[in-house]
Amino acid sequence: MGTKKIAIDGPSGAGKSTIAKHIAKALGYIYVDTGAMYRSVALYCLEHGIDPSCEEDVRKVIDDICIDIKYENKEQQIYLCGRNVTSLIRSAEMSMGASNVSKHSAVRSKLVSLQRNLAEKYNVVMDGRDIATRVMPDADIAIFLTADVEDRARRRYYEMKEKGEDISFENVLEDMKRRDNNDSTRANSPLVKAENAILVDTTGNTLEESINYLSQIISKKLR
Ligand code: DC
């Protein structure tokens, strides 16, 4: 029997990772955060003086970038060339860098194959931008999770404030709009709702409401 695959796509700040983590835990599946892989490529570039937007320069180093996913206490840990970078990649700079490197086809094909390998080995809840359209078009369940951009920016702003980042709401909103535009207008696997995906709009919902709603949809579908 094949593995079970749940795909959750959507723009940043829609609550994908928190919800996906929760669902994976409840089902005993592995949670795969594909954004963390793009963020790690961005970190590599920035640490090596490479502009993440420059396709030619990124392509030259792509084979040197070694990304490993490990599960420690059931939490995804991401290793970049042997170093645990799980918390280093969460800054606003890495968000923008990831959005920029994710346009390049050499980056996408490397990461997509890593993601497919994980989905062939484990039952997964995988979140990202192209999971149902490209990585796992055969997913058992596909969800497209979205929310109004101001709502998403507000959530991200409070998250960053809590982590002690010195940032204004206006900057977070600007960044989010720029990333939305980058991610949905790029030529390679742009962010679009897969035909078979269930559209869930979490605008105005609490996280708990969204988790409950999605858990219900998923358990009905899996039955
Ligand atoms: O989900 P996230 O915010 O960690 O993702 C960071 C960036 O990586 C996002 O702006 C677009 C890119 N990304 C992608 O292109 N494809 C994915 N499957 C996941 C993320």
Side-chain angles (χ1 to χ4, degrees):
M1 214 174 69
T3 52
K4 287 278 181 202
K5 303 178 175 82
I6 300 178
I8 304 184
D9 288 302
S12 38
K16 294 188 303 293
S17 63
T18 315
I19 296 174
K21 248 187 229 171
H22 185 94
I23 289 167
K25 194 170 175 196
L27 293 170
Y29 291 8
I30 293 288
Y31 163 58
V32 185
D33 170 4
T34 63
M37 300 180 186
Y38 290 92
R39 287 169 181 269
S40 302
V41 174
L43 176 64
Y44 183 97
C45 291
L46 293 166
E47 286 185 338
H48 287 78
I50 295 161
D51 172 3
S53 306
C54 179
E55 177 154 27
E56 203 185 326
D57 289 353
V58 176
R59 191 160 15 88
K60 279 189 200 145
V61 295
I62 193 71
D63 291 335
D64 303 334
I65 304 179
C66 175
I67 291 175
D68 265 326
I69 299 289
K70 295 185 186 170
Y71 290 90
E72 292 165 14
N73 299 323
K74 298 201 173 151
E75 291 279 332
Q76 176 182 287
Q77 300 292 317
I78 189 143
Y79 285 79
L80 174 64
C81 304
R83 176 170 57 127
N84 189 331
V85 295
T86 313
S87 42
L88 261 184
I89 55 172
R90 304 310 328 172
S91 66
E93 192 186 10
M94 293 311 143
S95 301
M96 213 52 227
S99 186
N100 287 330
V101 292
S102 70
K103 286 185 245 171
H104 313 319
S105 40
V107 174
R108 299 209 74 83
S109 34
K110 179 177 176 125
L111 299 188
V112 166
S113 97
L114 199 66
Q115 292 152 13
R116 285 187 181 147
N117 287 343
L118 287 168
E120 289 315 312
K121 259 210 286 222
Y122 305 106
N123 294 328
V124 293
V125 179
M126 190 179 286
D127 76 5
R129 307 292 188 286
D130 58 341
I131 309 306
T133 52
R134 179 162 184 217
V135 181
M136 319 191 297
D138 57 340
D140 299 274
I141 303 172
I143 308 278
F144 190 87
L145 196 67
T146 189
D148 181 84
V149 67
E150 298 239 345
D151 226 50
R152 290 187 280 117
R154 202 168 304 114
R155 292 176 202 168
R156 185 53 54 87
Y157 170 71
Y158 287 123
E159 231 173 71
M160 292 176 117
K161 272 270 175 211
E162 215 164 276
K163 279 193 214 149
E165 285 209 33
D166 180 21
I167 196 146
S168 74
F169 173 73
E170 288 68 29
N171 282 347
V172 177
L173 181 62
E174 261 325 292
D175 262 19
M176 196 149 280
K177 285 184 179 168
R178 212 152 16 116
R179 275 218 285 157
D180 278 1
N181 184 54
N182 252 358
D183 297 346
S184 50
T185 60
R186 68 179 176 223
N188 278 322
S189 305
L191 170 68
V192 282
K193 180 187 158 305
E195 245 173 54
N196 62 334
I198 303 164
L199 177 70
V200 177
D201 188 329
T202 65
T203 307
N205 289 359
T206 64
L207 195 57
E208 203 184 4
E209 285 165 341
S210 303
I211 289 175
N212 287 342
Y213 183 62
L214 269 174
S215 302
Q216 275 174 24
I217 296 181
I218 288 171
S219 57
K220 235 189 243 167
K221 284 248 166 202
L222 284 178
R223 239 183 267 139

